Amino acid sequence: MKKEKVISSVLTASIILSCSGCSLFDGDNKNVLAAAKSYADAVVSGEISDVIELMADGEDFEDELTDYVEGSEKLEDVYDAILNSMSYEIDQKSVTSSKKNGEASVDITYTMVDYEAVYDDVTDDGGDFDDYVEALEDNDGEDVIEITQTVSFVLDGSKWLVKDKKCKKLYEVYEFYSAVNEYGWSGMIKAVTLDEFEAACIKAFGSEEHDGYISSGDPYGDSCDYGYYNGGHVYMVMYAYKDPADAVNAFELMYLGFQSDVRDGYYDGDSVVAFDETDGMIVFEGIWYNEYAYGAYYLKDNIMLYCFAFSDKASDIDIVDTFFREIGYPEPKDYFK
């Protein structure tokens, strides 16, 4: 009788497990959690090569991701400050896994400094780029962002690898790389004077023997003082408006016109644009109306200025870069590295 009861119990357990569609030995939660930890460690470290190794199809996106996180050399200190602020937490209760199906998932919450809130605070206080970096580094956890994701895994042999279609979840965590690059960095630069503008033009050309001048009065009216230099294929223009609202209106026309050209296919290339109805920038390197164009427009306070080359000659591009360096602004190419 006892023997019959034992056999009956074993059969009952077998039927229950079989009906549930999952064996007690089908799950692999321990190894999934270990894989999740390795992946999250790699993500917060910013080491793309390590992240790629832990993804099922990471190699397909390696070049794209590498270019994305390299970003601008000028912003490396910003990227590092944000990465150093990052941490994560794995919700162990959320893990599910099936070796039979080769699928698993677990929730991961990433925490980082709220780089947008810090940027707003620094610019509101009139701070510059270095102030922004310092504020990011000194953040005490008051301003933070939390990103919670359900991360999927697939079984590859004996290894659990992250399955992230087109790296959408990874790009969500790494959004700061593009976000800070597209900020109105004119908010982190100072307005220059016409004297500083003229000195930078002369320095960039290496000579005063160019068709350049500083004049009182806008050639289209009497709303501003005006500076202009022309070095063949390189143009430098500055307007110092008496009313900052006029500077905003002038820049907005440039801003909307450039976006229209991009939409209509008259411009094809790299660009970064920003405009918050106070400060703004348009940075570009590409083909504009069938000519190579390289340079930038900036709006700061009552100043609107621009410098660009309709030329791909290294000497002309160097003039543009030298001009921006002399006035303390980023070189256009910095935005596209």
Side-chain angles (χ1 to χ4, degrees):
M1 186 71 177
K2 286 184 179 181
K3 185 175 180 181
E4 289 177 358
K5 285 185 177 181
V6 171
I7 293 173
S8 175
S9 297
V10 171
L11 287 172
T12 301
S14 175
I15 291 170
I16 290 173
L17 290 173
S18 135
C19 290
S20 69
C22 178
S23 163
L24 282 174
F25 304 102
D26 186 39
D28 196 20
N29 290 357
K30 181 178 179 181
N31 287 323
V32 171
L33 289 171
K37 182 180 185 306
S38 296
Y39 174 72
D41 282 339
V43 171
V44 301
S45 75
E47 295 294 335
I48 286 301
S49 58
D50 294 341
V51 175
I52 292 298
E53 289 183 3
L54 300 170
M55 299 182 70
D57 55 355
E59 291 183 358
D60 295 340
F61 299 93
E62 185 170 7
D63 291 342
E64 177 185 311
L65 283 168
T66 300
D67 289 342
Y68 181 77
V69 302
E70 283 182 352
S72 163
E73 287 184 0
K74 176 179 176 59
L75 300 179
E76 282 183 0
D77 289 342
V78 174
Y79 301 148
D80 289 343
I82 296 172
L83 283 170
N84 289 337
S85 77
M86 290 179 67
S87 61
Y88 68 86
E89 183 175 351
I90 298 172
D91 182 0
Q92 298 192 20
K93 293 181 179 179
S94 69
V95 64
T96 62
S97 61
S98 169
K99 289 191 290 186
K100 178 181 178 181
N101 296 331
E103 298 176 347
S105 68
V106 65
D107 292 346
I108 302 176
T109 298
Y110 298 95
T111 303
M112 71 186 77
V113 61
D114 189 339
Y115 48 88
E116 182 174 358
V118 172
Y119 174 83
D120 290 340
D121 289 343
V122 171
T123 52
D124 287 346
D125 291 340
D128 58 17
F129 182 83
D130 291 336
D131 294 325
Y132 181 52
V133 174
E134 184 177 352
L136 289 171
E137 293 173 342
D138 293 345
N139 185 266
D140 58 3
E142 181 179 350
D143 297 312
V144 297
I145 299 171
E146 287 190 352
I147 301 172
T148 299
Q149 300 178 332
T150 299
V151 179
S152 299
F153 293 82
V154 292
L155 192 59
D156 182 6
S158 61
K159 295 174 59 177
W160 288 101
L161 300 177
V162 172
K163 182 181 180 181
D164 184 7
K165 188 176 181 181
K166 295 184 178 180
C167 301
K168 287 183 178 180
K169 286 183 169 29
L170 183 60
Y171 278 123
E172 182 184 9
V173 179
Y174 282 165
E175 185 178 5
F176 64 87
Y177 281 104
S178 60
V180 299
N181 194 47
E182 294 173 4
Y183 282 166
W185 287 112
S186 55
M188 290 295 188
I189 60 180
K190 305 300 182 185
V192 299
T193 66
L194 281 167
D195 287 343
E196 290 170 329
F197 169 81
E198 183 176 21
C201 292
I202 293 171
K203 181 73 172 180
F205 286 124
S207 168
E208 296 185 36
E209 297 177 2
H210 289 277
D211 184 17
Y213 61 88
I214 302 296
S215 68
S216 293
D218 183 345
Y220 306 108
D222 193 29
S223 61
C224 71
D225 292 329
Y226 171 76
Y228 171 82
Y229 264 69
N230 174 11
H233 297 290
V234 182
Y235 303 87
M236 302 165 181
V237 179
M238 173 175 163
Y239 298 88
Y241 286 89
K242 295 177 175 64
D243 184 348
D246 290 336
V248 171
N249 292 335
F251 180 83
E252 186 172 16
L253 289 175
M254 297 283 190
Y255 176 78
L256 294 175
F258 181 79
Q259 290 189 312
S260 176
D261 285 346
V262 171
R263 259 192 327 269
D264 296 340
Y266 296 118
Y267 177 81
D268 182 22
D270 293 321
S271 64
V272 176
V273 297
F275 179 47
D276 63 4
E277 299 183 356
T278 302
D279 299 325
M281 67 177 185
I282 307 166
V283 187
F284 50 89
E285 182 178 14
I287 304 301
W288 200 353
Y289 287 96
N290 298 320
E291 290 191 69
Y292 178 87
Y294 174 81
Y297 292 79
Y298 281 98
L299 168 69
K300 179 62 181 176
D301 297 339
N302 67 318
I303 300 299
M304 188 189 76
L305 65 80
Y306 55 90
C307 174
F308 60 83
F310 270 126
S311 164
D312 60 358
K313 289 176 59 177
S315 58
D316 289 334
I317 291 172
D318 185 61
I319 290 173
V320 175
D321 288 339
T322 302
F323 169 79
F324 283 116
R325 282 199 307 272
E326 287 298 311
I327 63 171
Y329 289 12
E331 298 171 25
K333 64 186 178 186
D334 286 343
Y335 290 96
F336 309 125
K337 290 181 178 178

